[in-house]
């Protein structure tokens, strides 16, 4: 244990890792603070760069950039009422109300402080949850993996803020994309239409860049530019945060726990964590009437929640290769690329790398406090950059980055195609995150499914015979039927009240 | 680009059926009951069923209307952009530019292609030439420095090789 910890320290105390982490932190803070550029997009654009880094440095950049971007989305939320990332949307109104009351420092300070605390709580959950779960996961067969993957996909459709039917359709689309290529049980070209470029399948990373970055540039073409940030002088940012921590320690803990749980659920990430926690805070508050008028309580809970979900999203990713959120989906791609294939054995064979990931999360969250304060002070200048100067650079990064992944132009075509797909899906209420999950998990789902079918000789029964498999199966089927039941219940309820009204 | 549910749903039905049929045609693994054909078959059927459900409006009640954040009284709303019939097609500009990059990067070289992409995107987003021109002149070199020089991505030199 101590030896692995020292090894982990040695892994991260190289100049490459330190510089990569610092640069990625600044990058994450800047991208997160710009409205319309989300944390997922920041991470996706980072992937081509990670190709050229050592495994630990590559993960360091993702860890640092994603944690910072989720916090810095609070800055334009508080100052402009425009959330920088979707994860800050839940409480942007509240934070802006505080700014109007002259409490911008308190709102932003709470953002930094409780984000850092939440982030560290998330890492602790990763450290505590992952190893025992790995023990259990070692005894999993393909049946359990199949149901687990299915459960993950179903969770993603359940938490989508859209029609569950459309979410399931999006998930199927993603799975269909993963079918392309010759990497299938028979090794035959499937859906390649005779194009050699498609033989290797559609790479998840260019698809993600297209869906999250190009689609965003496409949306920017049709939406008006956000107003510039008024320049203001800030007082002490951390003043009063300790008092808040003592006053709202219960809310903070609840936010951390909710964030951790939502992070672990596949497909649900920081934005969902913030919405749930803000709603919860309002529901259980002693003074709910103050919410919406610039009350810090909801900010504390939701800020602690969204950053906690970032680290705990890595739990299912590292253990099973099932991403906890879209950022973790990108991280999984990088892990595979770097030879750290997700799976329970990662915790025994590459224990020092795992400890290095924990340490980097902790360092990133501590680093967030000074860098975050600096970022708040210079935000007014960074937000002066007009969209027409940022989006072209994003476009160039998309083109060059997707080319760099395989050094071939087909990557750029993929990015363009998925930009259109992502844009059309989003515009029509199909959740993009569900498709992304399908693309990332497709190969794994198919392998588990087909291997299980071969083992069971085409029979369905063995899918339910092992006890853990049966429990997972029940949960997955329950998740599938849940929207149906909810829909049926909604259909029945108005009829009943109608009958009650006439009988009276 | 908000299309009626019946259009997107029907598209999914067609796509799902095609995928299931395509999967059906794939050769099985000799001596095995299942092969590369099963998964597309299952997905295709699922997708087609979802498409049907969407056509019939099932699950529509779950969709939440997009929340528009109203502007505060202190801020003045930006003038609504001119909305012609072709206005919505502007959204297709970014993917079109990426395809332009694919076609011409090898011939024109990275610097020239990138400069054109930056200039067009920037102007389309409302930048004056005073911003767009220097941006188009400088940013390709910066990107080339990072990706080409530091990360050793073999970017095409084309007509205008970089000085390094």
């Amino acid at each position: 244990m101590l030896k692995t910890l020292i090894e982990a320290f040695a892994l991260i105390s190289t100049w490459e890792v330190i510089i990569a982490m610092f640069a990625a932190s600044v990058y994450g803070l800047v991208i997160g603070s710009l409205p319309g550029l989300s944390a997922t997009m920041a991470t996706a654009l980072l992937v081509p760069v990670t190709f050229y880094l050592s495994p630990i440095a590559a993960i360091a950049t993702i860890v640092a950039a994603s944690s910072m971007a989720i916090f810095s989305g609070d800055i334009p939320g508080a100052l402009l009422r425009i959330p920088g990332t979707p994860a800050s949307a839940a409480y942007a109104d509240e934070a802006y109300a505080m700014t109007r009351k002259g409490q911008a420092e308190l709102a932003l300070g709470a953002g930094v402080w409780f984000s850092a605390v939440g982030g560290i709580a998330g890492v602790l959950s990763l450290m505590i949850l992952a190893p025992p779960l790995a023990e259990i996961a070692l005894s999993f067969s393909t049946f359990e993996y199949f149901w687990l993957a299915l459960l993950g996909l179903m969770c993603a459709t359940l938490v989508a803020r859209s029609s569950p039917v459309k979410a399931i359709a999006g998930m199927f689309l993603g799975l269909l994309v993963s079918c392309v290529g010759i990497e299938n049980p028979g090794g035959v070209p499937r859906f390649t239409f005779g194009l050699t470029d498609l033989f290797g399948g559609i790479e998840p990373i260019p698809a993600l860049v297209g869906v999250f970055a190009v689609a965003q540039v496409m949306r920017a073409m049709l939406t008006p530019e956000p107003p510039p940030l008024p320049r203001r002088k800030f007082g002490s940012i951390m003043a009063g945060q300790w008092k808040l921590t003592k006053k709202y320690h219960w809310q903070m803990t609840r936010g951390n726990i909710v964030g951790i749980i939502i992070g672990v659920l596949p497909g649900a990430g920081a934005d969902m964590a913030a919405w749930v926690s803000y709603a919860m805070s309002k529901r259980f508050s002693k003074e709910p009437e103050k919410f919406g008028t610039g009350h810090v309580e909801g900010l504390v809970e939701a800020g602690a929640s969204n950053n906690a979900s970032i680290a705990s999203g890595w739990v299912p990713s590292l253990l099973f290769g099932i991403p906890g959120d879209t950022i973790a989906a990108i991280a999984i791609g990088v892990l595979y690329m770097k030879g750290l294939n997700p799976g329970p054995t990662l915790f025994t064979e590459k224990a020092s790398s795992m400890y290095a990931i924990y340490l980097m999360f902790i360092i990133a969250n501590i680093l967030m406090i000074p860098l975050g304060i600096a970022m708040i002070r210079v935000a007014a200048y960074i937000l002066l950059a007009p969209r027409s100067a940022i989006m072209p650079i994003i476009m160039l990064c998309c083109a060059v980055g997707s080319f760099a992944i395989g050094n071939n132009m087909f990557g750029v075509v993929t990015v363009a195609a998925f930009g259109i797909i992502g844009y059309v899906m989003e515009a029509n209420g199909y959740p993009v995150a569900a498709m992304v999950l399908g693309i990332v998990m497709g190969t794994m789902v198919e392998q588990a499914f087909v291997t299980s079918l071969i083992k069971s000789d085409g029979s369905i029964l063995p899918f339910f015979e092992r006890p853990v498999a049966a429990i997972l199966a029940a949960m997955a089927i329950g998740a599938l039927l849940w929207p149906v039941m909810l829909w049926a219940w909604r259909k029945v309820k108005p009829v009943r009240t109608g009958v009650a009204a006439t009988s009276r | 680009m908000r299309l009626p549910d019946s259009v997107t749903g029907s598209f999914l039905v067609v796509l799902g059926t095609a995928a299931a049929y395509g999967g059906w045609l794939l050769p099985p693994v000799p001596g095995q009951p299942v092969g590369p054909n099963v998964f597309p078959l299952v997905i295709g059927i699922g997708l087609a069923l979802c498409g049907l459900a969407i056509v019939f409006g099932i699950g529509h009640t779950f969709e939440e209307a997009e929340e528009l954040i109203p502007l505060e009284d202190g801020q003045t709303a930006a003038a609504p952009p001119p909305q012609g019939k072709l206005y919505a097609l502007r959204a297709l500009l970014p993917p079109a530019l990426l395809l332009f990059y694919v076609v011409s990067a090898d011939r024109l070289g990275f610097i020239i292609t990138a400069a054109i992409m930056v200039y067009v995107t920037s102007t389309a987003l409302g930048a004056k030439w005073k911003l767009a021109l220097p941006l188009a002149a400088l940013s390709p070199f910066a990107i080339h420095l990072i990706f080409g020089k530091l990360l050793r991505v073999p970017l095409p030199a084309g007509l205008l090789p970089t000085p390094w």
Side-chain angles (χ1 to χ4, degrees):
Chain A
M1 165 85 187
L2 194 68
K3 195 167 152 269
T4 15
L5 201 63
I6 293 168
E7 268 175 46
F9 260 114
L11 277 174
I12 60 164
S13 50
T14 61
W15 279 114
E16 191 198 12
V17 174
I18 294 166
I19 293 172
M21 206 157 175
F22 190 78
S25 300
V26 175
Y27 165 83
L29 283 172
V30 171
I31 298 276
S33 73
L34 292 166
L37 309 186
S38 65
T40 313
M41 177 177 174
T43 322
L45 285 178
L46 208 64
V47 171
V49 178
T50 62
F51 267 61
Y52 302 89
L53 300 173
S54 69
I56 296 297
I59 297 167
T61 56
I62 291 185
V63 164
S66 58
S67 306
M68 300 288 172
I70 294 291
F71 147 67
S72 95
D74 296 356
I75 299 174
L79 300 180
L80 282 175
R81 207 183 182 194
I82 300 168
T85 60
S88 305
Y91 49 87
D93 277 352
E94 192 78 64
Y96 185 67
M98 285 183 70
T99 303
R100 281 166 66 89
K101 272 166 62 180
Q103 295 178 332
E105 291 89 355
L106 193 68
L108 288 167
V112 179
W113 175 244
F114 292 101
S115 287
V117 172
I120 288 173
V123 194
L124 291 178
S125 79
L126 177 61
M127 289 165 71
I128 294 166
L129 281 177
L133 278 175
E135 291 279 311
I136 301 171
L138 275 174
S139 63
F140 277 17
S141 71
T142 50
F143 296 112
E144 280 89 7
Y145 267 103
F146 170 71
W147 287 117
L148 198 64
L150 202 66
L151 184 63
L153 289 170
M154 291 324 301
C155 279
T157 60
L158 274 187
V159 299
R161 288 160 57 80
S162 176
S163 137
V165 182
K166 284 188 172 178
I168 295 173
M171 175 196 94
F172 276 128
L173 271 179
L175 291 176
L176 192 60
V177 168
S178 77
C179 282
V180 176
I182 57 170
E183 219 179 280
N184 55 56
V188 291
R190 188 165 64 181
F191 301 140
T192 53
F193 306 104
L195 295 168
T196 39
D197 279 324
L198 284 175
F199 272 43
I202 292 171
E203 289 274 347
I205 299 292
L208 290 177
V209 173
V211 163
F212 290 116
V214 178
Q216 189 58 48
V217 182
M218 290 172 75
R219 269 190 290 280
M221 288 283 168
L222 297 179
T223 47
E225 172 136 15
L229 191 66
R231 212 182 292 172
R232 58 161 69 236
K233 263 197 113 53
F234 287 112
S236 171
I237 287 166
M238 294 312 284
Q241 294 308 327
W242 184 241
K243 227 173 87 195
L244 281 183
T245 316
K246 278 196 285 190
K247 188 170 174 198
Y248 293 122
H249 65 99
W250 169 233
Q251 279 84 344
M252 182 185 88
T253 320
R254 194 168 54 199
N256 288 338
I257 293 169
V258 167
I260 288 165
I261 293 171
I262 290 182
V264 171
L265 287 181
D271 39 347
M272 185 55 62
W275 282 107
V276 172
S277 279
Y278 183 75
M280 213 173 209
S281 179
K282 191 171 174 180
R283 174 75 183 72
F284 291 111
S285 173
K286 283 192 197 106
E287 26 195 19
E289 70 284 350
K290 281 194 186 166
F291 274 70
T293 61
H295 186 50
V296 77
E297 190 177 345
L299 241 67
V300 170
E301 185 154 349
S305 173
N306 62 8
N307 274 69
S309 77
I310 291 292
S312 72
W314 285 61
V315 175
S317 323
L318 290 170
L319 277 174
F320 311 113
I322 297 173
D325 56 24
T326 46
I327 293 172
I330 301 168
I332 286 179
V334 175
L335 286 170
Y336 271 116
M337 229 160 51
K338 294 297 182 188
L340 291 167
N341 291 14
T345 50
L346 206 58
F347 291 87
T348 47
E349 284 166 15
K350 299 253 170 68
S352 54
S353 299
M354 291 305 106
Y355 278 100
I357 295 181
Y358 305 154
L359 284 175
M360 289 186 302
F361 258 116
I362 294 174
I363 294 170
N365 279 297
I366 294 172
L367 203 60
M368 184 190 285
I369 295 173
L371 285 181
I373 293 172
M375 179 67 201
I376 292 169
R377 299 206 181 272
V378 298
Y381 299 96
I382 288 174
L383 288 173
L384 273 184
R387 210 172 50 166
S388 54
I390 296 157
M391 290 300 180
I393 312 283
I394 300 272
M395 282 282 289
L396 268 193
C397 290
C398 288
V400 179
S402 52
F403 171 76
I405 286 167
N407 279 348
N408 88 42
M409 283 295 188
F410 187 68
V412 189
V413 179
T414 312
V415 167
F418 274 89
I420 299 175
I421 294 174
Y423 176 78
V424 172
M425 281 179 71
E426 189 98 343
N428 290 295
Y430 291 83
V432 173
M435 179 180 75
V436 166
L437 221 61
I439 297 176
V440 174
M441 292 173 58
T443 315
M444 177 193 160
V445 177
E446 174 168 21
Q447 254 175 15
F449 180 54
V450 171
T451 321
S452 304
L453 269 182
I454 290 175
K455 278 202 281 193
S456 69
D457 225 359
S459 154
I460 298 292
L461 211 61
F463 277 82
F464 304 96
E465 268 174 359
R466 293 165 60 99
V468 179
I471 294 168
L472 290 170
M475 283 163 76
I477 292 169
L480 179 67
L481 292 180
W482 173 247
V484 180
M485 290 189 297
L486 207 63
W487 178 72
W489 188 69
R490 275 195 202 179
K491 276 263 155 174
V492 172
K493 200 179 149 204
V495 176
R496 240 190 239 151
T497 47
V499 170
T502 44
S503 64
R504 219 181 282 156
Chain B
M1 268 254 294
R2 175 92 208 185
L3 301 164
D5 276 356
S6 55
V7 174
T8 56
S10 317
F11 173 76
L12 290 178
V13 172
V14 173
L15 185 71
T17 317
Y21 181 67
W24 184 253
L25 292 180
L26 286 169
V29 181
Q32 291 290 357
V34 288
N37 47 4
V38 179
F39 200 56
L41 202 63
V42 172
I43 292 171
I45 293 170
L47 196 56
L49 288 179
C50 282
L52 269 183
I54 290 166
V55 170
F56 288 112
I58 295 174
H60 189 74
T61 43
F62 286 86
E63 283 184 57
E64 290 171 24
E66 210 171 305
E67 288 161 50
L68 286 175
I69 299 176
L71 287 166
E72 286 290 303
D73 35 87
Q75 300 162 335
T76 46
Q83 300 251 359
K85 255 207 170 135
L86 293 174
Y87 184 76
L89 285 180
R90 285 160 53 98
L92 285 175
L93 192 64
L97 282 172
L98 287 170
L99 292 180
F100 164 75
Y101 179 87
V102 173
V103 173
S104 62
D106 279 327
R107 246 163 279 155
L108 295 176
F110 173 74
I111 297 290
I112 298 176
T113 319
I116 296 172
M117 275 173 75
V118 170
Y119 187 81
V120 173
T121 315
S122 181
T123 321
L125 284 169
K128 300 273 186 312
W129 66 269
K130 266 187 200 162
L131 172 69
L133 216 51
L135 196 69
L138 295 178
S139 59
F141 284 99
I143 296 285
H144 194 283
L145 194 67
I146 296 171
F147 280 93
K149 184 77 178 159
L150 284 178
L151 300 176
R152 312 269 165 93
V153 179
L155 297 171
L159 299 177
L160 188 69
T162 43
W164 43 79

mmCIF file with all atom_site columns, all heavy atoms in Angstrom, chain B residues 4-15:
data_model
loop_
_atom_site.group_PDB
_atom_site.id
_atom_site.type_symbol
_atom_site.label_atom_id
_atom_site.label_alt_id
_atom_site.label_comp_id
_atom_site.label_asym_id
_atom_site.label_entity_id
_atom_site.label_seq_id
_atom_site.pdbx_PDB_ins_code
_atom_site.Cartn_x
_atom_site.Cartn_y
_atom_site.Cartn_z
_atom_site.occupancy
_atom_site.B_iso_or_equiv
_atom_site.pdbx_formal_charge
_atom_site.auth_seq_id
_atom_site.auth_comp_id
_atom_site.auth_asym_id
_atom_site.auth_atom_id
_atom_site.pdbx_PDB_model_num
ATOM 1  N N   . PRO B 1 4  ? -40.805 17.782 -37.597 1.00 0.00 ? 4  PRO B N   1
ATOM 2  C CA  . PRO B 1 4  ? -41.898 17.106 -36.890 1.00 0.00 ? 4  PRO B CA  1
ATOM 3  C C   . PRO B 1 4  ? -41.464 15.707 -36.461 1.00 0.00 ? 4  PRO B C   1
ATOM 4  O O   . PRO B 1 4  ? -40.636 15.076 -37.134 1.00 0.00 ? 4  PRO B O   1
ATOM 5  C CB  . PRO B 1 4  ? -43.019 17.030 -37.935 1.00 0.00 ? 4  PRO B CB  1
ATOM 6  C CG  . PRO B 1 4  ? -42.590 17.842 -39.076 1.00 0.00 ? 4  PRO B CG  1
ATOM 7  C CD  . PRO B 1 4  ? -41.139 18.117 -38.977 1.00 0.00 ? 4  PRO B CD  1
ATOM 8  N N   . ASP B 1 5  ? -42.021 15.252 -35.336 1.00 0.00 ? 5  ASP B N   1
ATOM 9  C CA  . ASP B 1 5  ? -41.671 13.920 -34.827 1.00 0.00 ? 5  ASP B CA  1
ATOM 10 C C   . ASP B 1 5  ? -41.956 12.831 -35.852 1.00 0.00 ? 5  ASP B C   1
ATOM 11 O O   . ASP B 1 5  ? -41.275 11.826 -35.913 1.00 0.00 ? 5  ASP B O   1
ATOM 12 C CB  . ASP B 1 5  ? -42.442 13.634 -33.538 1.00 0.00 ? 5  ASP B CB  1
ATOM 13 C CG  . ASP B 1 5  ? -41.727 14.221 -32.335 1.00 0.00 ? 5  ASP B CG  1
ATOM 14 O OD1 . ASP B 1 5  ? -40.614 14.760 -32.529 1.00 0.00 ? 5  ASP B OD1 1
ATOM 15 O OD2 . ASP B 1 5  ? -42.275 14.148 -31.226 1.00 0.00 ? 5  ASP B OD2 1
ATOM 16 N N   . SER B 1 6  ? -43.012 13.061 -36.671 1.00 0.00 ? 6  SER B N   1
ATOM 17 C CA  . SER B 1 6  ? -43.354 12.010 -37.633 1.00 0.00 ? 6  SER B CA  1
ATOM 18 C C   . SER B 1 6  ? -42.238 11.823 -38.647 1.00 0.00 ? 6  SER B C   1
ATOM 19 O O   . SER B 1 6  ? -41.974 10.705 -39.094 1.00 0.00 ? 6  SER B O   1
ATOM 20 C CB  . SER B 1 6  ? -44.661 12.371 -38.340 1.00 0.00 ? 6  SER B CB  1
ATOM 21 O OG  . SER B 1 6  ? -44.544 13.649 -38.919 1.00 0.00 ? 6  SER B OG  1
ATOM 22 N N   . VAL B 1 7  ? -41.527 12.914 -38.991 1.00 0.00 ? 7  VAL B N   1
ATOM 23 C CA  . VAL B 1 7  ? -40.440 12.812 -39.970 1.00 0.00 ? 7  VAL B CA  1
ATOM 24 C C   . VAL B 1 7  ? -39.261 12.067 -39.359 1.00 0.00 ? 7  VAL B C   1
ATOM 25 O O   . VAL B 1 7  ? -38.762 11.085 -39.927 1.00 0.00 ? 7  VAL B O   1
ATOM 26 C CB  . VAL B 1 7  ? -40.010 14.218 -40.445 1.00 0.00 ? 7  VAL B CB  1
ATOM 27 C CG1 . VAL B 1 7  ? -38.788 14.118 -41.345 1.00 0.00 ? 7  VAL B CG1 1
ATOM 28 C CG2 . VAL B 1 7  ? -41.147 14.901 -41.160 1.00 0.00 ? 7  VAL B CG2 1
ATOM 29 N N   . THR B 1 8  ? -38.795 12.521 -38.171 1.00 0.00 ? 8  THR B N   1
ATOM 30 C CA  . THR B 1 8  ? -37.637 11.858 -37.573 1.00 0.00 ? 8  THR B CA  1
ATOM 31 C C   . THR B 1 8  ? -37.968 10.416 -37.223 1.00 0.00 ? 8  THR B C   1
ATOM 32 O O   . THR B 1 8  ? -37.145 9.518  -37.397 1.00 0.00 ? 8  THR B O   1
ATOM 33 C CB  . THR B 1 8  ? -37.172 12.611 -36.311 1.00 0.00 ? 8  THR B CB  1
ATOM 34 O OG1 . THR B 1 8  ? -38.252 12.708 -35.398 1.00 0.00 ? 8  THR B OG1 1
ATOM 35 C CG2 . THR B 1 8  ? -36.659 13.984 -36.649 1.00 0.00 ? 8  THR B CG2 1
ATOM 36 N N   . GLY B 1 9  ? -39.184 10.184 -36.744 1.00 0.00 ? 9  GLY B N   1
ATOM 37 C CA  . GLY B 1 9  ? -39.598 8.825  -36.398 1.00 0.00 ? 9  GLY B CA  1
ATOM 38 C C   . GLY B 1 9  ? -39.590 7.909  -37.612 1.00 0.00 ? 9  GLY B C   1
ATOM 39 O O   . GLY B 1 9  ? -39.051 6.800  -37.561 1.00 0.00 ? 9  GLY B O   1
ATOM 40 N N   . SER B 1 10 ? -40.156 8.384  -38.716 1.00 0.00 ? 10 SER B N   1
ATOM 41 C CA  . SER B 1 10 ? -40.183 7.558  -39.932 1.00 0.00 ? 10 SER B CA  1
ATOM 42 C C   . SER B 1 10 ? -38.763 7.265  -40.409 1.00 0.00 ? 10 SER B C   1
ATOM 43 O O   . SER B 1 10 ? -38.454 6.155  -40.851 1.00 0.00 ? 10 SER B O   1
ATOM 44 C CB  . SER B 1 10 ? -40.922 8.264  -41.062 1.00 0.00 ? 10 SER B CB  1
ATOM 45 O OG  . SER B 1 10 ? -42.080 8.852  -40.580 1.00 0.00 ? 10 SER B OG  1
ATOM 46 N N   . PHE B 1 11 ? -37.897 8.268  -40.294 1.00 0.00 ? 11 PHE B N   1
ATOM 47 C CA  . PHE B 1 11 ? -36.512 8.052  -40.700 1.00 0.00 ? 11 PHE B CA  1
ATOM 48 C C   . PHE B 1 11 ? -35.900 6.918  -39.874 1.00 0.00 ? 11 PHE B C   1
ATOM 49 O O   . PHE B 1 11 ? -35.216 6.044  -40.402 1.00 0.00 ? 11 PHE B O   1
ATOM 50 C CB  . PHE B 1 11 ? -35.710 9.344  -40.517 1.00 0.00 ? 11 PHE B CB  1
ATOM 51 C CG  . PHE B 1 11 ? -34.242 9.162  -40.743 1.00 0.00 ? 11 PHE B CG  1
ATOM 52 C CD1 . PHE B 1 11 ? -33.739 9.048  -42.031 1.00 0.00 ? 11 PHE B CD1 1
ATOM 53 C CD2 . PHE B 1 11 ? -33.355 9.077  -39.669 1.00 0.00 ? 11 PHE B CD2 1
ATOM 54 C CE1 . PHE B 1 11 ? -32.384 8.870  -42.244 1.00 0.00 ? 11 PHE B CE1 1
ATOM 55 C CE2 . PHE B 1 11 ? -32.002 8.891  -39.884 1.00 0.00 ? 11 PHE B CE2 1
ATOM 56 C CZ  . PHE B 1 11 ? -31.518 8.787  -41.170 1.00 0.00 ? 11 PHE B CZ  1
ATOM 57 N N   . LEU B 1 12 ? -36.174 6.929  -38.560 1.00 0.00 ? 12 LEU B N   1
ATOM 58 C CA  . LEU B 1 12 ? -35.627 5.883  -37.687 1.00 0.00 ? 12 LEU B CA  1
ATOM 59 C C   . LEU B 1 12 ? -36.195 4.518  -38.063 1.00 0.00 ? 12 LEU B C   1
ATOM 60 O O   . LEU B 1 12 ? -35.484 3.511  -38.008 1.00 0.00 ? 12 LEU B O   1
ATOM 61 C CB  . LEU B 1 12 ? -35.922 6.199  -36.221 1.00 0.00 ? 12 LEU B CB  1
ATOM 62 C CG  . LEU B 1 12 ? -35.162 7.381  -35.640 1.00 0.00 ? 12 LEU B CG  1
ATOM 63 C CD1 . LEU B 1 12 ? -35.566 7.630  -34.198 1.00 0.00 ? 12 LEU B CD1 1
ATOM 64 C CD2 . LEU B 1 12 ? -33.659 7.155  -35.714 1.00 0.00 ? 12 LEU B CD2 1
ATOM 65 N N   . VAL B 1 13 ? -37.476 4.471  -38.441 1.00 0.00 ? 13 VAL B N   1
ATOM 66 C CA  . VAL B 1 13 ? -38.076 3.189  -38.847 1.00 0.00 ? 13 VAL B CA  1
ATOM 67 C C   . VAL B 1 13 ? -37.335 2.646  -40.065 1.00 0.00 ? 13 VAL B C   1
ATOM 68 O O   . VAL B 1 13 ? -36.935 1.480  -40.107 1.00 0.00 ? 13 VAL B O   1
ATOM 69 C CB  . VAL B 1 13 ? -39.580 3.365  -39.162 1.00 0.00 ? 13 VAL B CB  1
ATOM 70 C CG1 . VAL B 1 13 ? -40.156 2.091  -39.768 1.00 0.00 ? 13 VAL B CG1 1
ATOM 71 C CG2 . VAL B 1 13 ? -40.342 3.731  -37.899 1.00 0.00 ? 13 VAL B CG2 1
ATOM 72 N N   . VAL B 1 14 ? -37.111 3.528  -41.064 1.00 0.00 ? 14 VAL B N   1
ATOM 73 C CA  . VAL B 1 14 ? -36.420 3.100  -42.281 1.00 0.00 ? 14 VAL B CA  1
ATOM 74 C C   . VAL B 1 14 ? -35.002 2.647  -41.951 1.00 0.00 ? 14 VAL B C   1
ATOM 75 O O   . VAL B 1 14 ? -34.548 1.573  -42.369 1.00 0.00 ? 14 VAL B O   1
ATOM 76 C CB  . VAL B 1 14 ? -36.397 4.254  -43.316 1.00 0.00 ? 14 VAL B CB  1
ATOM 77 C CG1 . VAL B 1 14 ? -35.535 3.888  -44.511 1.00 0.00 ? 14 VAL B CG1 1
ATOM 78 C CG2 . VAL B 1 14 ? -37.813 4.589  -43.747 1.00 0.00 ? 14 VAL B CG2 1
ATOM 79 N N   . LEU B 1 15 ? -34.298 3.452  -41.152 1.00 0.00 ? 15 LEU B N   1
ATOM 80 C CA  . LEU B 1 15 ? -32.915 3.137  -40.798 1.00 0.00 ? 15 LEU B CA  1
ATOM 81 C C   . LEU B 1 15 ? -32.840 1.813  -40.044 1.00 0.00 ? 15 LEU B C   1
ATOM 82 O O   . LEU B 1 15 ? -32.003 0.954  -40.330 1.00 0.00 ? 15 LEU B O   1
ATOM 83 C CB  . LEU B 1 15 ? -32.326 4.267  -39.949 1.00 0.00 ? 15 LEU B CB  1
ATOM 84 C CG  . LEU B 1 15 ? -30.841 4.143  -39.609 1.00 0.00 ? 15 LEU B CG  1
ATOM 85 C CD1 . LEU B 1 15 ? -30.004 4.374  -40.852 1.00 0.00 ? 15 LEU B CD1 1
ATOM 86 C CD2 . LEU B 1 15 ? -30.449 5.146  -38.534 1.00 0.00 ? 15 LEU B CD2 1
#
